Amino acid sequence: MSTRATTGQRAAAGTADYLDQRTGVGTAVKGFARKIFPDHWSFLLGEIALYSFVILILSGFFLTMFFVPSMTLIVYEGPLAAMNGVEMSEAFASTLDLSFEVTGGLLMRQIHHWAALLFMAAIVTHMMRVFFTGAFRKPREINWVVGFVLMILGLAAGFTGYSLPDDVLSGNGLRITDGVVKSIPVVGSYMSYFIFGGEFPGEHIIPRLFTLHILLIPGLILALIGLHLFLVVLHKHTHFPGPGRTQRNVVGFPLFPVYVAKAGGFFFIVFGVLALMAGTMTINPVWNYGPYDPSPVAAGAQPDWYMLFLEGGLRLMPGATEFVIAGYTLSLNVLIPAVVIPGLLFTALAAYPFIEAFATGDKREHHLLDRPRNAPVRTGIGVAILTAFFILLLAGANDLIATHFAMSLNDITYIFRVLFFVAPVVAFWATKRLCLGLQRKDRELVLHGHETGRIVRFADGEYIEVHKPLDEYERWIRVQHEPRRPLEILPEHDERGVRRKGYHRDALRARVSRFFYEDRIEPVTPAELAAAHSHGEHDALEGRPSSDGVPAEIASGPSVDARDR
Amino acid sequence: MKAIAARRHHRLAPVALLLLALLVTGGLYAALAPSAASASAPSEDDIAAGRALFQANCATCHGPSAEGREGAPSLIGVGAAAVDFQVSTGRMPMQMDGAQAMAKPPQFNAEETSQLAAYVASLGAGPAIPSAEQVDPSLGDAANGGALFRTNCAMCHGAIGKGGALSEGKYAPNLGPSTPTQIYEAMQTGPQSMPVFNDANLTPEEKRDIIAFLGEQDAGSPGGTDLGAIGPVGEGIWVWVVGMGLLIACAVWIGAKSS
Amino acid sequence: MSNEHSSTDLTVSGAGTSPATFQDPGMPPHQERMADKDPAAAKRAERQVVVLFAVSVLGTVGMLLAYFLVPSGDTVESMRTSNLLLGLGLFLSMFGIGAAAVHWAKTLMSDHEQAEARHPQKSDPETRAAALAALEAGAQDSGIGRRGLLKGAVVSAVALAPLTFAVPLVGQVGGDWDVSKFRHTLWERGRRLVRDPSGDPIRAADVTIGSAYHVIPDGLREGEHATHWIEEKAKAVVLMVRMDPRDLTEAEDRRDWSYEGIVAYSKICTHVGCPVALYERQTHHLLCPCHQSTFDMADGAKVVFGPAKRPLPQLPITVDDEGYLVAQSDFTEPIGPSYWERLK
């Protein structure tokens, strides 16, 4: 046993020596092996996206072995009675073949599609985590933009892949794309020809989408994932505030062995969950939709979930906004929901770190995350954007809402048209209030401690509930954040009455800053805590002078406990 | 011919042969057997019983001699198929006014339904109830039915007939619970919002093909549970609930301190 | 409430004696796990990890067995069974490894949190100065600042070179770039309306009131269109319905475009081009399943709801000598979604 182990060790040492002499890998291993990563479940959301992508590549490779990206029409023969003898493109036929006649092909196809949906879901959730905790602040703004571009590429990858089987559902999706592209002023018709190689649908679109889907887009995603991870390593991961965690350190566990096991293990968990889903739940049953033909369409015509917000926007927009100007048609009823609104939404998202940096005027590096409650306006903005997005998602499913909740399709559309404008405002206000309330709760806890349910009576007949003060670790989480106040700006005119240069920019900045930080709750200071203790009748009785009279504890019976609660 | 010869050893050849044989027997049977309508012409007693049922249950809205009233159509000439469809699916008698009459447990048994149908058929010629073989899914061509379904039906009833929304609270129902006879009758008579598909638009054979296609759906999906077959929105919900749900649960487990 | 309290508190007490902010108490004391304190617990955790790895091995074996022994077969049931067994095997195979590794890390590997120092991202002043100097020296060396003509030449050459790639690509990627094709469909005077997809001609007498016919032009896949019939079909599909002529409201100039209550409209939505096909017989409304634009077939296919602006283009129809429905002409406007030069 021991000799074998030594043999193994000797072999390992030999290999390491060989590699190091040729690559100097020792330096990298020394740097990386004990690199510290902080531990929090929400830091694994990005890993779900990363692992989904790896699984997409693995399962996608399997699929490319059998898929034929061709729009040539053939007559299909196969086991499914409803498809046997039907004329269809080779793309559709090969999709059926790889599903039904390649053992395990259906599983791989379903893993691939579930992984695509999961990829986008994980990206969005990961972005939410980064947004709400303020992880995008300096020095990570660039990485936020890289992540944002990855999300857009994810959308593109999903869209190009969704259309490949050449079925009725995705074909109508392409047709909608064609309609949207044609609505673009001046160049719309030509862009449609550019995409389809002539008139819709033509015979080029599937091969073109295939090349984009398996070569260009995954290549770009891979490159940007490399950059994304490189920047994560360069910046070192952010961590949540807590005792011992500062802007100048990172607290957690070493890459080797803990994170190799945890993060590596998580890859297999993601793969396992996707296999479980693909083994039990049908996804994108193209044999139900049938091969593409320009005539049919099926009720429930929707894209995958990550494109549903565009569909929702198109459904909500009233038609009255198409105009003819000097003989040229301007289809704002298509342009606004399909181009302008997503454009604004995405630009706002991409630019947010820079907007907030402008408002705070903060040039420092931030490695400690914010608790979302401590940034009420940011949290409110995030929830408002998500609310608008969610309303659009629901609007994209309005026909299903109508049938499943026995409502009128038309009423639902009218309601969503209003909600799209009202709900984000309400969500912003409610979230901001909720955050401020939670901050007050934090102050309350720090100043007065936990309720214990123990009621005592003093000699003078006064009843109080005993509170247990927080220990210093608990307290630190609630008081560690720095208060943020609106920026003060210099007056418009200097002392000699001359207008100051750059005043307007400053005034704008002050307005934005006021919007962000005017309503605020500041963390408890030691002085406040001391004051609360010195005069607080609610606090620990131990500190109370005995001259007040000896407190008589009466509340040990269950009846008082019940009343207290 | 060469193509057929080449495919003679295909593993589906016996299936194709069997189908062919079935089709031939079915066709012969259809040509030679007496049609169902003429075989069991309703008796005078049935019509009288049907009239009595009609007066008691339907005349309030459709009028004492089925001539129709405001909001309730005339039933003269709608034929037995329309009555059988509406009554056997429980749509008629209607419980209350709404966007459309809803399917519910039928109020009349099979005999009463056929008596009502006989009575209404006696008022004026109209489509008859289809015979058993006209609606026999095993005689139809599911692939052709699928193509026809996609062109004529899927826009309202969904890709495989799970239903869909129409305007103003109306909807195209799920065809899963419908019997082949009811599906045939619905195409033939066009109940409520549904257009009529007469025998020139969809021939009786084509109707049977559609029934065969819908029959194929009973086997479910090869990929596992069909998640209601409502399309990508359902899949989107499940990827969040099951996929993200399970993985976030696992992430919390990974991130939690061990006791 | 605490807020008002605290502000009064602040005035009562002498704030000057305390520090302005709290001090970080530092890392809390490490708490030992069961497996650290109790060798039996450690042994148990190790066994659990081994079991989880064993589950993975069983899953792999199970999946391979399913692959060889349970073919996907020719029926829906057998395909489902095969897919389920392969999926469960793969699930156990993968999840077992994942769960084992994580459990190992959580219970047996060190759980002492460690701190690593961070350093500011920006490089120190000396490095910056050296970098700047290197760039300046390089620029100086190349003389790019002084040699204006050279600079112009570099810029022109590099800017023009991509044209060698872009021009051939853009020249051909859009086919013949003839966007005027949007304006014309296969419909022409005398072309029969036939059923989609069978191609059977339609006798006007066979179109009973309440019927809805999905229609394509006769000869769609013949002659010169045989190779690109799908593009022609994408433009030419028509929905034809018949209603009681008394229900029909017709514009003065379109009176003879219908035939005894039979009207035919383009099936391609004027919004973004989905096939509009949900015909509600009683209201004569036509609903698009994609974005729910609703058109009134009894009134010139005008929009009554939803995101479309324009009515569906109408196909003028009549009957030929044999009583079959035929087109009088092509559509009189481009069908389908709006585009910039549609009316030009």
Side-chain angles (χ1 to χ4, degrees):
Chain A
M1 178 83 197
S2 66
T3 37
R4 240 172 52 212
T6 346
T7 322
Q9 280 167 0
R10 222 179 298 132
T15 315
D17 177 55
Y18 182 91
L19 279 177
D20 190 50
Q21 291 206 30
R22 281 154 187 83
T23 60
V25 72
T27 321
V29 170
K30 173 174 154 268
F32 275 100
R34 300 300 277 184
K35 204 164 171 56
I36 298 298
F37 279 93
D39 220 15
H40 193 270
W41 67 267
S42 69
F43 298 162
L44 296 172
L45 294 168
E47 290 188 19
I48 300 179
L50 174 67
Y51 298 150
S52 305
F53 183 71
V54 175
I55 294 161
L56 280 167
I57 290 191
L58 290 176
S59 54
F61 174 74
F62 189 100
L63 298 179
T64 52
M65 293 295 103
F66 304 101
F67 179 71
V68 184
S70 156
M71 295 171 88
T72 307
L73 292 177
I74 57 166
V75 174
Y76 173 74
E77 284 176 43
L80 216 61
M83 282 295 141
N84 194 20
V86 174
E87 186 182 37
M88 57 182 69
S89 66
E90 282 190 277
F92 192 89
S94 60
T95 307
L96 296 186
D97 279 343
L98 71 86
S99 301
F100 300 143
E101 294 179 50
V102 175
T103 304
L106 182 58
L107 184 71
M108 284 299 159
R109 221 191 112 231
Q110 300 206 118
I111 285 180
H112 194 72
H113 206 129
W114 281 120
L117 298 195
L118 186 71
F119 182 51
M120 288 313 297
I123 288 181
V124 169
T125 322
H126 174 58
M127 278 184 99
M128 278 156 63
R129 199 280 294 169
V130 170
F131 183 92
F132 287 121
T133 57
F136 52 77
R137 290 172 296 172
K138 189 179 173 185
R140 295 182 178 77
E141 305 100 317
I142 295 172
N143 217 11
W144 166 265
V145 175
V146 172
F148 170 82
V149 175
L150 276 168
M151 180 193 71
I152 301 290
L153 286 171
L155 290 177
F159 178 79
T160 50
Y162 170 79
S163 303
L164 288 182
D166 201 20
D167 56 303
V168 167
L169 186 64
S170 70
N172 279 312
L174 282 178
R175 177 142 221 179
I176 293 170
T177 312
D178 178 53
V180 169
V181 167
K182 278 181 182 160
S183 78
I184 297 170
V186 188
V187 294
S189 317
Y190 295 94
M191 285 182 68
S192 165
Y193 263 55
F194 179 88
I195 293 168
F196 292 97
E199 276 192 290
F200 173 87
E203 53 195 10
H204 302 299
I205 186 68
I206 299 289
R208 285 182 184 184
L209 290 176
F210 183 70
T211 305
L212 292 177
H213 183 72
I214 68 153
L215 178 75
L216 190 65
I217 296 171
L220 286 173
I221 290 180
L222 210 54
L224 284 181
I225 284 180
L227 180 58
H228 202 62
L229 294 181
F230 168 76
L231 286 172
V232 168
V233 169
L234 184 76
H235 292 144
K236 299 193 173 84
H237 207 288
T238 51
H239 51 184
F240 273 103
R245 286 135 211 263
T246 71
Q247 301 282 15
R248 311 190 135 271
N249 70 4
V250 50
V251 177
F253 297 105
L255 181 67
F256 185 80
V258 177
Y259 260 88
V260 169
K262 281 190 172 183
F266 197 42
F267 166 77
F268 292 97
I269 288 177
V270 173
F271 206 156
V273 167
L274 282 170
L276 185 65
M277 293 177 79
T280 53
M281 304 198 292
T282 304
I283 189 164
N284 197 25
V286 288
W287 48 90
N288 285 351
Y289 307 137
Y292 183 66
D293 177 291
S295 172
V297 63
Q302 273 117 349
D304 277 345
W305 80 264
Y306 45 84
M307 289 298 210
L308 197 56
F309 73 105
L310 285 175
E311 175 84 359
L314 283 168
R315 287 182 182 196
L316 286 191
M317 189 75 193
T321 43
E322 179 177 309
F323 303 104
V324 175
I325 300 160
Y328 291 103
T329 310
L330 183 63
S331 300
L332 289 181
N333 56 337
V334 179
L335 279 175
I336 290 178
V339 180
V340 177
I341 288 185
L344 286 176
L345 204 71
F346 284 146
T347 311
L349 211 55
Y352 186 82
F354 308 99
I355 297 171
E356 195 183 292
F358 176 72
T360 51
D362 191 350
K363 301 272 191 287
R364 295 168 304 166
E365 288 186 8
H366 291 275
H367 302 289
L368 267 184
L369 296 173
D370 279 330
R371 300 169 80 212
R373 69 183 61 174
N374 291 336
V377 170
R378 178 205 294 151
T379 307
I381 290 173
V383 173
I385 291 177
L386 282 177
T387 308
F389 181 74
F390 193 62
I391 298 282
L392 290 179
L393 281 187
L394 288 178
N398 60 359
D399 52 338
L400 293 167
I401 296 174
T403 49
H404 285 74
F405 297 95
M407 292 170 74
S408 157
L409 192 61
N410 307 54
D411 293 347
I412 295 170
T413 306
Y414 291 127
I415 291 169
F416 283 150
R417 280 177 186 171
V418 176
L419 278 184
F420 179 70
F421 293 100
V422 175
V425 177
V426 172
F428 172 78
W429 177 84
T431 307
K432 188 177 152 191
R433 288 292 128 194
L434 200 67
C435 288
L436 292 172
L438 285 169
Q439 288 191 53
R440 286 201 185 90
K441 177 73 189 160
D442 279 351
R443 284 187 60 95
E444 173 80 18
L445 263 180
V446 170
L447 288 172
H448 306 296
H450 292 292
E451 293 176 5
T452 58
R454 209 156 61 92
I455 306 289
V456 292
R457 196 185 76 173
F458 291 103
D460 54 8
E462 184 191 1
Y463 289 91
I464 65 150
E465 186 191 358
V466 179
H467 284 225
K468 180 173 156 289
L470 272 59
D471 68 40
E472 58 178 340
Y473 303 113
E474 271 184 294
R475 188 203 300 136
W476 174 244
I477 293 175
R478 294 173 175 81
V479 299
Q480 47 74 33
H481 57 292
E482 54 178 22
R484 298 204 183 96
R485 303 188 176 93
L487 291 174
E488 306 276 339
I489 57 164
L490 299 169
E492 185 171 0
H493 302 281
D494 62 17
E495 57 273 20
R496 282 173 298 171
V498 181
R499 273 198 57 169
R500 192 162 62 78
K501 229 172 91 186
Y503 171 75
H504 282 294
R505 188 185 152 81
D506 281 0
L508 172 69
R509 169 176 287 200
R511 266 202 301 281
V512 178
S513 176
R514 264 206 305 284
F515 169 71
F516 268 89
Y517 301 120
E518 185 138 59
D519 291 334
R520 66 186 182 280
I521 310 289
E522 302 210 345
V524 175
T525 61
E528 286 173 318
L529 185 64
H533 277 261
S534 66
H535 105 143
E537 61 270 70
H538 299 291
D539 295 305
L541 292 162
E542 294 76 14
R544 218 175 152 90
S546 57
S547 61
D548 271 1
V550 180
E553 186 150 342
I554 57 160
S556 46
S559 61
V560 181
D561 272 335
R563 194 149 37 97
D564 179 50
R565 284 173 198 137
Chain B
M1 259 354 250
K2 227 175 178 177
I4 294 177
R7 293 183 197 287
R8 215 169 38 192
H9 297 294
H10 193 272
R11 61 203 163 89
L12 287 178
V15 182
L17 259 178
L18 190 65
L19 275 176
L20 195 68
L22 277 172
L23 275 174
V24 170
T25 5
L28 280 175
Y29 180 77
L32 300 177
S35 85
S38 63
S40 57
S43 67
E44 284 304 316
D45 291 351
D46 285 341
I47 295 177
R51 182 183 297 117
L53 282 169
F54 185 87
Q55 296 302 339
N57 296 286
C58 321
T60 337
C61 302
H62 290 287
S65 47
E67 73 279 13
R69 288 205 178 147
E70 183 62 40
S74 161
L75 301 183
I76 298 166
V78 300
V83 178
D84 187 55
F85 174 81
Q86 299 282 0
V87 176
S88 72
T89 60
R91 287 184 166 79
M92 291 291 150
M94 214 166 146
Q95 217 154 41
M96 56 181 176
D97 269 341
Q100 69 188 49
M102 310 228 277
K104 54 185 184 294
Q107 198 169 324
F108 301 104
N109 62 29
E111 191 192 353
E112 291 165 329
T113 308
S114 69
Q115 288 166 345
L116 271 171
Y119 166 67
V120 172
S122 75
L123 300 174
I129 299 171
S131 65
E133 102 195 42
Q134 274 180 302
V135 299
D136 185 350
S138 63
L139 302 178
D141 171 0
N144 187 42
L148 291 164
F149 190 87
R150 284 192 287 281
T151 305
N152 293 285
C153 322
M155 68 293 266
C156 299
H157 290 285
I160 54 166
K162 296 292 179 181
L166 301 176
S167 66
E168 309 283 0
K170 299 187 287 281
Y171 60 92
N174 180 1
L175 303 178
S178 307
T179 65
T181 304
Q182 287 164 350
I183 293 167
Y184 192 101
E185 289 167 344
M187 289 188 273
Q188 186 84 330
T189 62
Q192 305 185 52
S193 291
M194 182 165 162
V196 179
F197 295 91
N198 63 21
D199 288 349
N201 195 350
L202 292 173
T203 65
E205 292 73 39
E206 289 175 333
K207 289 192 176 82
R208 188 165 58 193
D209 291 347
I210 289 176
I211 288 167
F213 170 74
L214 289 170
E216 286 291 317
Q217 307 310 324
D218 294 342
S221 169
T225 164
D226 67 3
L227 305 178
I230 56 169
V233 173
E235 294 157 7
I237 292 172
W238 287 108
V239 85
W240 279 95
V241 172
V242 177
M244 287 306 284
L246 282 176
L247 289 171
I248 287 179
C250 290
V252 170
W253 173 57
I254 294 172
K257 282 236 182 305
S258 180
S259 59
Chain C
M1 158 213 148
S2 63
N3 204 22
E4 296 100 68
H5 245 160
S6 53
S7 55
T8 46
D9 288 350
L10 198 63
T11 51
V12 171
S13 72
T17 53
S18 311
T21 55
F22 283 95
Q23 295 305 306
D24 184 351
M27 302 252 272
H30 177 248
Q31 291 193 336
E32 295 227 301
R33 293 169 299 188
M34 291 291 283
D36 297 331
K37 289 180 284 197
D38 178 4
K43 201 77 203 150
R44 197 163 53 238
E46 189 184 336
R47 271 200 305 275
Q48 287 163 346
V49 173
V50 170
V51 166
L52 285 168
F53 277 124
V55 164
S56 165
V57 173
L58 288 179
T60 306
V61 171
M63 169 146 178
L64 293 178
L65 286 178
Y67 175 79
F68 287 113
L69 302 181
V70 189
S72 71
D74 281 353
T75 66
V76 170
E77 285 78 13
S78 64
M79 292 174 196
R80 191 161 48 222
T81 310
S82 159
N83 185 60
L84 177 70
L85 292 177
L86 292 170
L88 287 179
L90 186 56
F91 162 66
L92 292 177
S93 165
M94 293 296 163
F95 201 87
I97 297 178
V102 170
H103 195 55
W104 185 358
K106 277 170 61 99
T107 52
L108 296 171
M109 292 180 192
S110 160
D111 75 333
H112 285 270
E113 285 194 308
Q114 302 173 11
E116 186 183 341
R118 293 180 191 273
H119 307 284
Q121 292 303 325
K122 69 172 183 190
S123 34
D124 56 67
E126 296 84 62
T127 315
R128 283 184 168 204
L132 205 60
L135 287 179
E136 274 169 359
Q140 197 66 35
D141 194 22
S142 72
I144 192 83
R146 288 173 282 118
R147 302 190 171 108
L149 187 63
L150 185 59
K151 189 155 71 178
V154 167
V155 170
S156 331
V158 172
L160 286 177
L163 287 178
T164 55
F165 173 78
V167 169
L169 176 69
V170 172
Q172 293 162 91
V173 75
D176 56 11
W177 289 113
D178 178 12
V179 297
S180 71
K181 286 184 196 160
F182 294 158
R183 293 169 198 284
H184 308 290
T185 73
L186 221 48
W187 293 108
E188 60 191 356
R189 183 172 182 77
R191 194 179 277 272
R192 277 184 179 165
L193 282 72
V194 300
R195 283 172 52 206
D196 177 27
S198 71
D200 302 331
I202 306 160
R203 225 183 269 278
D206 286 339
V207 185
T208 46
I209 287 179
S211 287
Y213 278 70
H214 295 264
V215 169
I216 49 176
D218 193 18
L220 175 69
R221 297 184 67 167
E222 291 158 16
E224 52 174 317
H225 323 294
T227 52
H228 55 277
W229 62 273
I230 204 154
E231 290 84 64
E232 292 300 337
K233 184 173 184 181
K235 290 187 292 185
V237 281
V238 157
L239 185 75
M240 182 180 77
V241 301
R242 184 172 202 166
M243 62 189 80
D244 189 331
R246 285 168 297 182
D247 291 341
L248 208 53
T249 314
E250 288 183 285
E252 207 49 54
D253 56 336
R254 291 188 177 185
R255 282 231 180 271
D256 60 345
W257 284 19
S258 65
Y259 181 79
E260 292 180 355
I262 305 178
V263 288
Y265 286 97
S266 165
K267 211 164 105 176
I268 305 305
C269 191
T270 56
H271 177 221
V272 283
C274 265
V276 210
L278 285 75
Y279 178 59
E280 299 175 4
R281 182 176 60 82
Q282 288 169 318
T283 55
H284 310 307
H285 284 177
L286 186 67
L287 174 72
C288 177
C290 294
H291 307 105
Q292 287 117 24
S293 297
T294 312
F295 303 88
D296 188 351
M297 296 286 270
D299 186 11
K302 289 201 179 104
V303 178
V304 292
F305 181 79
K309 169 76 180 280
R310 292 178 291 107
L312 295 168
Q314 186 173 4
L315 183 71
I317 54 167
T318 185
V319 293
D320 63 11
D321 301 341
E322 295 170 70
Y324 289 108
L325 288 158
V326 294
Q328 292 184 29
S329 69
D330 194 357
F331 291 102
T332 55
E333 56 180 317
I335 59 97
S338 301
Y339 53 94
W340 182 249
E341 64 276 28
R342 200 181 82 88
L343 298 174
K344 285 289 167 181

